[in-house]
Structure formats: C-alpha cells, structure tokens
Amino acid sequence: PPSYIRLLKLEMANNHEKGIVGGGGKPPLSMGMSLGNNNSGGQALGGPPSGGSVFGIYEISEYTSVDLIQDEEFNFYCKFVEINNFFKGRNGKRERTNFLQQKVSESGEGHQDVVLGLFYGILADPENSNQLCQYLTMIVRDNFKFLIEAMITLIGARYQKFFLRTRRQLLWLLERVFPLNPDMSIQVLALILRYVENGKMSGFNLDPLQRVMHLMQMNIEFILTQKYYSTLFFFKLLRLVDEHSRSDQDGLRDMEISLVVKIWKEHSKSCMTIGRDLIRLLREVSGVA
C-alpha cells in the first residue's frame, strides 16, 4: 500500500544513515535525520539537522506529506549518505579524492551519482561546503551541465519549501559555478528570481534577493549579452524597485536601480516590447531618483 511504501522510504533513509545495507525493524519515529552522528570512529562530513525534515534542505513536517517525496529527490540524499559513509575514518584528502574519481571513472552513471551526492551535501551541510565544492570541482567532467540540470529540477520542485540556509547555499554554489558555465547558470538565476515574492519584506525573502542582486552585479557583462534574459530581469527588477521605494530597503533598491539602468541602456528596444505593463510600472517609479 502507498502508506507502507512511504514508511518504508523513511526506514530506508534511516538505514542509509546508519550504514546498514539491509532493511528490517520498525519505521523511524522521527522524520529528522542527522548524518553527523556516528559511533564507528573517524570524522564524517556532518549533515542536516534533525527535526521536521527528511532531507535537511526543505520542510516536511507530517507523515501525510511524505508522498511529496519524489524518487529523484530521495536519490540526492542516498548518494550523499554513500559518500559520507566512505569518508568516516578517512580524513586524508587524497584518499577521499581517489575514491570519488574512481566512482566517476566507472561510468557516466557514477559521475552523476557523485555530483548528486556532493550537491546535496553542499545544500545540507554549510560547514563543509567549501570542502565539498573542492571535491566537486575536481571530479566534474561535463562543465557542470548535469549539476545545473539537477539545480533547475530541484528548484522547480521545491524552492518555496527550502529552508533559508538552503537558499543561501544554493546561491553560494551558483556564484562559483556561474563563471564556469554562464550559458546554463543564467537559467538558474532566472528561476530563482522568479520565486522572489513581490510584497514580502521578511528576511526569508530579502536575504536571497540581496544575494541574487550581488550575483547579477558580478556577472552583468554576460547578462547584457543575453537579450531575452535581460528583458526578463528588467521587468522583474523594476517591479521590485517600485515596492522597495516604499520601504526602508534603500540599499537593495539602489542595487536594483543600478541593474535596471544598465539593462535599459543596452536593451531599451527589447524592454519596450513588454507593452502596457511597462508603461504602468514606469509611471509608478517615475518619482524614484
């Protein structure tokens, strides 16, 4: 039955956490998981905090919500647990790197498994994200194509349920990947900006937005070469300027205005195709310096 399958998934995750190959036993009473707790000796990478989250990157608080878990997302978690279990008791960077490179060289599927595991680890374990990102850079073989595709898939399915720290880690990783594959990374940037909620002034919404603005400023020269995305960003940013001009977010508003002006100077004709909505919005912001 579906209810049993959902509980079995939780039991599988619990067994992966403990390094158990087979199943058995009762389903875990807690949905929280922590990869950092191990008694087998050695230092593991650490992991997501326990309580209210199966994967440690977004909120799932009820058993009835477990059916939201897709096999692909559960796979992210399992691949990281496999890497984490190997790292227990193996502190040498060379030994860990050799293990990952061997997995990658076995097949294309092995490469994807390692990328997914490290990606999940970066999102769920901020304390070790620098180390995990170094491993990721050393083993990736497709110019981060598969990683970016995984980012797009996960954002589209779960971004609104992400914890704030997960959103921060996602943008932290994107900042490092963008210069290496800007053609695909800009898709991730556009998707994240789409999920910035208009009218919400909470840190949960503003903190990622500030990071997005910083990322756009760092890569504005490339963005201006992309007419479609420039026009898309222009309209979204102009709406945010309108909102933030009526709040105390002066610093954020100034960053938005700077980007809007740069895009307008380069792509004014393209921006004009937005039509009536643009005219209405320009009227609203006409008093903003």
Side-chain angles (χ1 to χ4, degrees):
S3 59
Y4 175 77
I5 292 174
R6 292 197 294 268
L7 293 176
L8 185 60
K9 275 192 175 183
L10 293 174
E11 184 177 12
M12 287 168 57
N14 193 43
N15 288 337
H16 269 283
E17 176 191 358
K18 296 176 180 178
I20 300 172
V21 176
K26 298 179 180 179
L29 298 178
S30 169
M31 293 183 66
M33 310 239 172
S34 176
L35 301 182
N37 299 328
N38 70 84
N39 299 316
S40 59
Q43 180 64 40
L45 281 174
S50 61
S53 171
V54 172
F55 298 112
I57 58 176
Y58 59 81
E59 187 66 36
I60 299 178
S61 57
E62 302 291 340
Y63 270 126
T64 53
S65 299
V66 181
D67 56 4
L68 295 174
I69 302 172
Q70 302 296 318
D71 290 338
E72 294 83 0
E73 297 162 26
F74 185 73
N75 194 38
F76 286 26
Y77 170 84
C78 292
K79 298 309 177 186
F80 176 61
V81 174
E82 182 181 351
I83 294 172
N84 188 69
N85 284 338
F86 177 84
F87 282 1
K88 292 176 182 178
R90 297 178 175 87
N91 295 323
K93 185 175 181 180
R94 177 175 295 180
E95 186 177 9
R96 292 180 171 186
T97 302
N98 289 341
F99 165 74
L100 295 176
Q101 290 180 338
Q102 181 180 354
K103 287 278 293 181
V104 167
S105 63
E106 290 174 355
S107 64
E109 185 178 347
H111 174 265
Q112 294 179 0
D113 289 348
V114 173
V115 170
L116 287 181
L118 293 174
F119 175 41
Y120 171 81
I122 291 169
L123 296 184
D125 189 9
E127 291 184 1
N128 291 290
S129 55
N130 275 315
Q131 180 185 6
L132 292 170
C133 193
Q134 288 175 12
Y135 289 132
L136 182 62
T137 303
M138 285 188 285
I139 62 91
V140 76
R141 295 187 170 191
D142 61 353
N143 198 28
F144 296 96
K145 180 178 183 292
F146 180 73
L147 171 67
I148 295 172
E149 290 174 348
M151 292 171 76
I152 291 172
T153 299
L154 190 59
I155 292 169
R158 289 290 178 264
Y159 184 82
Q160 292 177 313
K161 290 183 176 291
F162 277 175
F163 296 124
L164 178 57
R165 63 180 172 81
T166 307
R167 297 184 179 192
R168 288 172 175 169
Q169 286 300 109
L170 182 67
L171 286 161
W172 178 88
L173 178 59
L174 183 60
E175 181 179 329
R176 282 147 184 79
V177 172
F178 202 111
L180 304 174
N181 191 338
D183 292 319
M184 291 188 67
S185 295
I186 197 170
Q187 300 175 42
V188 182
L189 186 61
L191 190 56
I192 294 175
L193 192 59
R194 173 187 173 189
Y195 282 112
V196 172
E197 299 181 68
N198 296 323
K200 288 197 174 182
M201 299 298 171
S202 65
F204 196 74
N205 197 50
L206 293 179
D207 184 274
L209 178 58
Q210 290 174 335
R211 295 167 189 268
V212 168
M213 293 299 100
H214 176 68
L215 188 55
M216 291 182 70
Q217 286 180 327
M218 290 174 59
N219 298 280
I220 187 61
E221 291 185 5
F222 173 78
I223 291 173
L224 292 177
T225 66
Q226 308 295 308
K227 182 185 294 186
Y228 169 78
Y229 286 107
S230 292
T231 306
L232 192 70
F233 293 157
F234 175 82
F235 187 64
K236 178 69 174 183
L237 292 175
L238 201 59
R239 292 182 65 184
L240 292 172
V241 169
D242 179 36
E243 291 177 4
H244 296 153
S245 65
R246 300 191 296 269
S247 68
D248 58 353
Q249 301 296 326
D250 293 344
L252 187 56
R253 183 199 62 196
D254 290 344
M255 284 194 290
E256 293 160 355
I257 291 174
S258 174
L259 290 167
V260 161
V261 170
K262 289 178 181 178
I263 294 174
W264 177 261
K265 287 181 178 179
E266 191 72 23
H267 297 292
S268 57
K269 290 184 179 179
S270 178
C271 292
M272 286 297 292
T273 62
I274 296 172
R276 294 179 180 178
D277 290 335
L278 175 62
I279 301 302
R280 294 192 193 101
L281 199 49
L282 288 173
R283 286 177 179 173
E284 294 294 330
V285 300
S286 60
V288 179

